Amino acid sequence: MEAAQLHNSTEEKKGELFLYLSDFISRKRAFRIFLMASLILWCLGFSFDSLFHGTVAAGITYPFLKKIFHIVCHQLDEKTFNVNGAKLFVCARCTGIYLGALIASLASLFYIKKISLNIKLLYISMIPMLIDVGATTFKIYSYSKPLAFATGLFFGSVVFVYILTAIENNFTGNSY
Amino acid sequence: MNQNKFLPPLVCGFGAAVLTIVPGIKSFSCCMIVPLAGVLSIYLDHKINKTSLPIGIKSAIWFGFMTGIFATLFTTSLDVLLTYLARTNDFVQALPQTEAIVRHYKLNGMLDQTMSMLKQMSVDITTNGFSAFYTAGILFSNFIINTIFGTLGGILGMTFINKRTKVKI
């Protein structure tokens, strides 16, 4: 009798867990999970040599990944982070942009409500980055990797939210 | 065929390709060239058609994607042309450095296979000015990267324009 009751309560808990999971992984959240997975893959790509430094996989993929990420970044040594004894395949600013987008995508999984953002925030997020790019280009001050990373991080996280909002609101027919 | 549908991506894709290969531009514009081309492409289309209607996500994706495709075609063509004329490129110049780094990995047989393939591409470029494998590689990688970044640019451009025109979408 007790065993049957225990079995029933276990089944109920399983059912509740399933309902909770199906509620958590809604269509909207599934799309966000897809975006986050894509961003994880992308970040894994440019940090592959650093993460798996010294392994056979890192050695074989090095020339190809270096070439692929050269399309999106200048890869200048003096502007690139050295992690785990190997250079990342993108510069500090790009690292910030992509990690910012990844962090925002992770945060978006826990905030499923409709996001409404003012376009001014996007302009504001660009300003520190543009000032930093301008100042280093015109030699007002020398290039700082942490500063470039920080400005990229802010811009990347904001731009991700904009892109996500634009896609979701358009496909669901919502206005924002 | 509606030429207006292809003209803005063509112009912006060409512009992005030219900017990509100009030395120095890439050092501060980085990954922003193709997305900005996508934004500009959809903005140009909006200006050409002089419409006050909101831009839909499908046309935003279309313009961004097409900008990426044209940027890919022009970037690859310009790269191939410059490589043919100069009989060298950044890949050939960076190969000794790449080899030095890869040799640290102690890959034994795998290293030889990888390096012989890369060296063959380098030899083809320096002797004939063209390597089919290299061209296929850059065409494929340019296509993947540029279409993704172009599409993101198109979506961002749509957001800008729809907000500027104060249209609810």
Side-chain angles (χ1 to χ4, degrees):
Chain A
M1 188 73 177
E2 276 181 14
Q5 276 179 341
L6 192 69
H7 179 75
N8 283 342
S9 85
T10 314
E11 286 298 313
E12 277 174 17
K13 277 180 185 171
K14 274 184 188 174
E16 280 172 15
L17 186 69
F18 178 76
L19 281 173
Y20 174 76
L21 280 176
S22 60
D23 183 47
F24 184 81
I25 308 170
S26 58
R27 253 180 84 185
K28 202 172 182 180
R29 197 168 263 137
F31 175 67
R32 291 181 183 195
I33 290 169
F34 166 75
L35 283 183
M36 193 188 69
S38 308
L39 278 164
I40 287 172
L41 265 181
W42 183 258
C43 293
L44 198 66
F46 73 72
S47 58
F48 197 81
D49 192 37
S50 299
L51 294 173
F52 303 100
H53 192 58
T55 61
V56 174
I60 293 169
T61 54
Y62 178 85
F64 305 103
L65 288 175
K66 178 103 175 156
K67 186 71 190 162
I68 287 171
F69 285 98
H70 183 64
I71 298 167
V72 290
C73 187
H74 50 71
Q75 299 179 327
L76 295 174
D77 274 354
E78 66 273 17
K79 294 182 177 180
T80 310
F81 282 122
N82 196 330
V83 182
N84 198 19
K87 294 268 181 196
L88 296 177
F89 291 126
V90 291
C91 69
R93 199 181 313 281
C94 290
T95 307
I97 293 172
Y98 302 135
L99 282 183
L102 180 63
I103 292 165
S105 74
L106 188 67
S108 74
L109 293 181
F110 300 98
Y111 189 82
I112 203 76
K113 288 176 189 169
K114 195 172 76 178
I115 305 164
S116 179
L117 285 176
N118 195 318
I119 199 84
K120 280 177 189 166
L121 186 62
L122 188 59
Y123 294 132
I124 290 167
S125 73
M126 281 179 193
I127 291 168
M129 199 172 72
L130 292 176
I131 290 171
D132 189 43
V133 170
T136 51
T137 305
F138 296 110
K139 309 256 187 291
I140 295 168
Y141 58 79
S142 56
Y143 186 86
S144 159
K145 282 190 259 190
L147 190 61
F149 177 79
T151 57
L153 196 75
F154 181 42
F155 175 71
S157 52
V158 173
V159 91
F160 173 82
V161 176
Y162 268 92
I163 290 170
L164 180 74
T165 312
I167 295 171
E168 284 185 350
N169 289 351
N170 275 277
F171 277 118
T172 54
N174 294 336
S175 60
Y176 66 97
Chain B
M1 188 177 76
N2 183 6
Q3 282 187 333
N4 280 351
K5 216 173 176 185
F6 288 95
L7 200 59
L10 183 76
V11 172
C12 296
F14 179 73
V18 171
L19 288 177
T20 305
I21 60 155
V22 172
I25 299 273
K26 207 174 185 181
S27 65
F28 67 86
S29 57
C30 234
C31 55
M32 295 291 146
I33 297 173
V34 178
L36 283 178
V39 172
L40 193 64
S41 168
I42 201 155
Y43 179 74
L44 285 179
D45 178 66
H46 194 68
K47 284 283 169 192
I48 289 168
N49 291 324
K50 291 177 183 141
T51 175
S52 57
L53 290 170
I55 297 165
I57 189 89
K58 281 178 187 168
S59 48
I61 290 171
W62 162 263
F63 279 101
F65 186 80
M66 287 312 292
T67 307
I69 284 185
F70 284 122
T72 301
L73 293 175
F74 286 121
T75 308
T76 311
S77 306
L78 290 170
D79 195 336
V80 167
L81 180 69
L82 289 176
T83 303
Y84 182 75
L85 292 173
R87 307 270 166 177
T88 186
N89 59 18
D90 55 350
F91 165 75
V92 175
Q93 285 161 5
L95 193 61
Q97 191 194 349
T98 306
E99 187 177 5
I101 292 168
V102 175
R103 284 211 180 276
H104 280 291
Y105 288 95
K106 298 181 180 106
L107 302 174
N108 304 322
M110 283 186 191
L111 170 77
D112 294 334
Q113 280 180 359
T114 309
M115 286 316 299
S116 68
M117 191 174 73
L118 296 175
K119 277 181 181 169
Q120 186 56 48
M121 282 156 58
S122 177
V123 168
D124 285 345
I125 288 168
T126 46
T127 52
N128 308 319
F130 179 80
S131 163
F133 196 71
Y134 173 79
T135 307
I138 58 164
L139 184 67
F140 178 73
S141 49
N142 277 337
F143 174 75
I144 301 291
I145 304 284
N146 287 343
T147 49
I148 292 171
F149 278 74
T151 306
L152 292 176
I155 294 167
L156 265 184
M158 176 197 75
T159 314
F160 280 129
I161 294 162
N162 287 348
K163 286 274 181 184
R164 269 168 64 104
T165 50
K166 298 190 188 298
V167 171
K168 294 278 184 186
I169 45 176

